[in-house]
Amino acid sequence: MHPHEGPGSRRIELRDGRVVQGTVAEGFEPVLETFVENFHRRHDLGAACAVYVDGAPVVDLWGGVADSRSGRPWDHDTGAVIFSCTKGVLATCVYMLVQEGRISLDAPVADYWPEFGRQGKDEVTVRTAMSHRAGLASLDPDFTLGEVLAWEPVIRAIEEQRPHHPPGAGHVYHAFTYGWIVGEIIRRVTGMLPGEYFRHAIGDRLGLRTWIGLPATEGSSVAWMEPPLPDEDSEPARQAAWVRETNPVVDRSLTMGGAFAFPAEDGYVTFNSPEIQAAQVPGANGISSACSLARLYAACVSPVDGSPLLRPESIDDAIRVQSAGPQLTGAPDDGTRWGTGFQLASPPTCPMLGPASFGHAGAGGHLAFGDASHRVGFAYLSNQMGGYGDARAKELTEALRQCLTRGT
């Protein structure tokens, strides 16, 4: 049966002729209503939202335009660049290796990657690195795009980088370097680049349309990302913009030392580049459909084609807060909290479902997470990047919470 045929199937024509379709189980209609409202009131162009409960899909929606250049519609299998949602995919891989006894989170990174220990980094642990506390948010060298995409130049630079601050001093979000640090640990342990290990350990097993390093055959299925909408008019938004403009650590962390503009330049979103999509930039260039991301997190907290990916003790460890509060850069505290590798429920901006939620947001408004209490996997993806204060994912998760707690 095609995903949008049969019980619960929906097809809604929007006022401008775009179409929203998919399936919604009884009791989850508020998610559909909010998804439609995102097109009418919150500027969605093309988007998808999927929810699993107890290992089964209860919401699988998509709609709008995947590529504004051609008018290609968003369909069930459309993928999007998921930006930092990729970090949660990587963290899942690490926890699986922990469960196999191949990684200890509290061991020094240098136990697995000896060269990492240079320049005073010998005591930085895997957990410290995954919690944005390693002091390596930016690197000193200027890179070309080719060097960034070649993997080894970034790895060599990390090895020779002296931390900007001691691990105990606080945290700074490692927007891109997180991916190479965690990815190289995975490579040293498994012999595979992180995208390859993910497909080997998770992606192929679950039949996911999720990749770190897009296969050439999938390029035509990827949505074209549109540059961010204007930020909300608020003091935190102005403060965030000021930090980006004045703090070289922040700017260099987001451009990889000038290798590319992020997220966009002259109306072009950098990660639309097929060259970038095909490479491994594992903190940011994952590509996935919404249904696959929701299925991945569902498989972390409930059986999906086999035993859950993560054991209860792994989830308990993952949801312990490691970093929260003001960052050392001076960026505004929007409530974001991190566990080991995962972003956690972070009210007021990203509440997810509650204390048992773990996953990651992505630049421009994406969100994907699992929740162990509700046994939920959730994902929302859009090709219209939002600005500071974007509320589309928050509104969807609040609608989902309403559905899950109704009558309790």
Side-chain angles (χ1 to χ4, degrees):
M1 181 181 292
H2 194 276
H4 65 277
E5 296 175 349
S9 63
R10 308 298 174 99
R11 189 180 190 280
I12 298 171
E13 187 167 327
L14 304 177
R15 290 190 288 265
D16 60 7
R18 290 178 296 169
V19 172
V20 167
Q21 57 190 316
T23 56
V24 179
E26 184 177 356
F28 289 88
E29 291 83 1
V31 178
L32 169 62
E33 294 164 6
T34 304
F35 186 71
V36 171
E37 281 299 294
N38 278 347
F39 285 94
H40 286 318
R41 297 179 51 214
R42 303 182 191 99
H43 310 292
D44 251 334
L45 175 64
C49 180
V51 181
Y52 278 67
V53 178
D54 285 323
V58 296
V59 174
D60 190 5
L61 295 168
W62 62 92
V65 176
D67 190 334
S68 62
R69 301 169 302 170
S70 64
R72 169 168 57 94
W74 194 298
D75 65 29
H76 178 262
D77 290 335
T78 296
V81 181
I82 61 175
F83 298 113
S84 284
C85 293
T86 317
K87 293 180 175 70
V89 176
L90 230 57
T92 304
C93 292
V94 171
Y95 270 97
M96 292 186 69
L97 290 166
V98 169
Q99 292 173 170
E100 294 173 9
R102 302 171 74 181
I103 289 178
S104 170
L105 292 169
D106 295 311
V109 173
D111 281 7
Y112 310 101
W113 174 8
E115 299 88 345
F116 179 89
R118 298 170 183 163
Q119 300 293 343
K121 302 191 296 296
D122 51 304
E123 295 185 0
V124 173
T125 66
V126 176
R127 190 185 302 279
T128 298
M130 293 179 69
S131 304
H132 304 280
R133 306 182 75 86
L136 301 169
S138 69
L139 304 174
D140 292 342
D142 293 331
F143 293 103
T144 66
L145 179 60
E147 287 170 334
V148 166
L149 302 185
W151 190 268
E152 291 294 342
V154 179
I155 299 304
R156 300 288 84 82
I158 291 170
E159 292 170 355
E160 300 303 328
Q161 180 70 43
R162 181 170 292 278
H164 293 289
H165 60 82
H171 70 287
V172 174
Y173 182 57
H174 288 43
F176 283 97
T177 54
Y178 169 103
W180 280 285
I181 297 169
V182 177
E184 183 68 6
I185 295 168
I186 291 171
R187 187 172 80 95
R188 295 294 177 117
V189 170
T190 68
M192 291 179 271
L193 286 168
E196 295 163 357
Y197 175 74
F198 165 73
R199 292 304 309 182
H200 166 78
I202 301 174
D204 291 342
R205 165 183 160 182
L206 293 176
L208 303 181
R209 293 185 55 76
T210 305
W211 300 274
I212 302 171
L214 186 71
T217 54
E218 297 295 337
S220 62
S221 68
V222 179
W224 181 262
M225 305 301 295
E226 297 290 337
L229 296 166
D231 291 340
E232 66 180 7
D233 184 17
S234 69
E235 181 55 34
R238 288 187 285 273
Q239 183 183 353
W242 180 82
V243 168
R244 169 92 192 250
E245 292 169 2
T246 60
N247 190 317
V249 169
V250 174
D251 185 68
R252 290 184 67 81
S253 75
L254 292 171
T255 65
M256 283 304 294
F260 48 72
F262 186 83
E265 185 174 40
D266 297 329
Y268 175 76
V269 175
T270 303
F271 278 48
N272 280 326
S273 163
E275 183 182 16
I276 293 177
Q277 293 181 2
Q280 300 218 13
V281 183
N285 84 326
I287 290 176
S288 183
S289 68
C291 185
S292 287
L293 266 189
R295 182 175 172 85
L296 168 62
Y297 279 107
C300 288
V301 298
S302 56
V304 176
D305 289 348
S307 300
L309 297 178
L310 299 185
R311 299 171 186 161
E313 58 267 29
S314 294
I315 295 173
D316 288 345
D317 184 87
I319 62 177
R320 283 201 290 269
V321 177
Q322 303 294 330
S323 297
Q327 297 188 45
L328 297 178
T329 57
D333 180 9
D334 62 0
T336 301
R337 309 182 311 155
W338 286 276
T340 300
F342 295 105
Q343 185 179 341
L344 307 181
S346 301
T349 56
C350 188
M352 300 186 192
L353 291 179
S357 296
F358 61 98
H360 220 288
H366 299 325
L367 180 63
F369 64 86
D371 186 278
S373 293
H374 296 287
R375 292 162 65 86
V376 158
F378 169 92
Y380 163 74
L381 304 178
S382 172
N383 61 346
Q384 175 56 72
M385 299 183 72
Y388 194 98
D390 176 60
R392 290 168 296 175
K394 178 182 177 181
E395 295 292 337
L396 284 165
T397 56
E398 290 181 348
L400 175 59
R401 187 184 306 107
Q402 172 189 337
C403 299
L404 294 167
T405 58
R406 181 181 292 162
T408 61

